[in-house]
Amino acid sequence: MGYWGYFVVGRAERPLAELDALPDADGMVLRESAPGGWQVWEYPSSDGDVGNMNDLARETGAPALFGYVMDSDCVVLEAAAPGSGAWTTCLARAAMAGYLGVGKEGSTLEDYFLEPADAAERAVAWAAEAGHEVNAEELLDVLTSDPDPLAENLLFRLLDRLGVVPL
């Protein structure tokens, strides 16, 4: 059995776990700190909710990102920034399609998530709002990759490409 849980990414002077936007953060643990006030917190859980990423971006005045890892197979990725808004995509798309039962009754993965090219464009805007210039093709590479072998590795590779937390 793989890992189930959230990774919460944001930039703030205070610990993210203390912010009003994350009222259900009890048990959240700091995993990484990076230059510029970036923080990555981990919240192991196969159910429940840690808070609202839109509220986190609004409260910190900076881009925020949630990655919900599902059994180390795939990741639901939600991101928001005060100026460029919110978007949702996933990592390890084939595994995600299996979890969602995509293909049954005519559904597609794009019914739930942005296509990788669109997500890469939104991620470039997200990173720009964070003060980072990033390469859309490098982001697209991560957004279309299979887990290697763990989906959370893809998430941390994406954070590296976004200029948030270096590998």
Side-chain angles (χ1 to χ4, degrees):
M1 180 163 182
Y3 176 80
W4 287 84
Y6 286 92
F7 289 95
V8 177
V9 180
R11 182 172 61 193
E13 291 182 18
R14 292 178 33 212
L16 296 181
E18 296 177 1
L19 300 178
D20 293 338
L22 302 173
D24 302 317
D26 290 341
M28 209 164 77
V29 176
L30 181 63
R31 169 110 183 226
E32 304 247 356
S33 293
W38 287 103
Q39 304 170 39
V40 178
W41 289 75
E42 183 174 356
Y43 181 69
S45 173
S46 61
D47 57 279
D49 192 4
V50 72
N52 185 295
M53 159 257 344
N54 290 303
D55 292 343
L56 181 59
R58 207 173 6 264
E59 185 174 349
T60 62
L65 183 144
F66 286 3
Y68 183 66
V69 179
M70 300 169 63
D71 202 20
S72 292
D73 290 333
C74 51
V75 180
V76 175
L77 186 70
E78 300 176 277
S84 58
W87 51 278
T88 303
T89 194
C90 66
L91 302 174
R93 294 178 76 78
M96 183 63 74
Y99 274 96
L100 297 176
V102 167
K104 297 175 184 174
E105 300 178 23
S107 65
T108 68
L109 205 53
E110 289 72 29
D111 292 334
Y112 304 94
F113 303 108
L114 286 176
E115 293 182 24
D118 293 336
E121 281 183 36
R122 295 298 302 268
V124 167
W126 185 96
E129 202 164 331
H132 302 186
E133 186 175 324
V134 299
N135 182 302
E137 289 299 317
E138 289 180 0
L139 295 170
L140 186 58
D141 176 58
V142 177
L143 292 165
T144 57
S145 291
D146 291 325
D148 58 351
L150 305 173
E152 47 269 45
N153 293 345
L154 287 176
L155 176 61
F156 280 89
R157 198 162 85 204
L158 183 69
L159 294 175
D160 175 65
R161 303 270 170 89
L162 288 169
V164 174
V165 178
L167 285 178

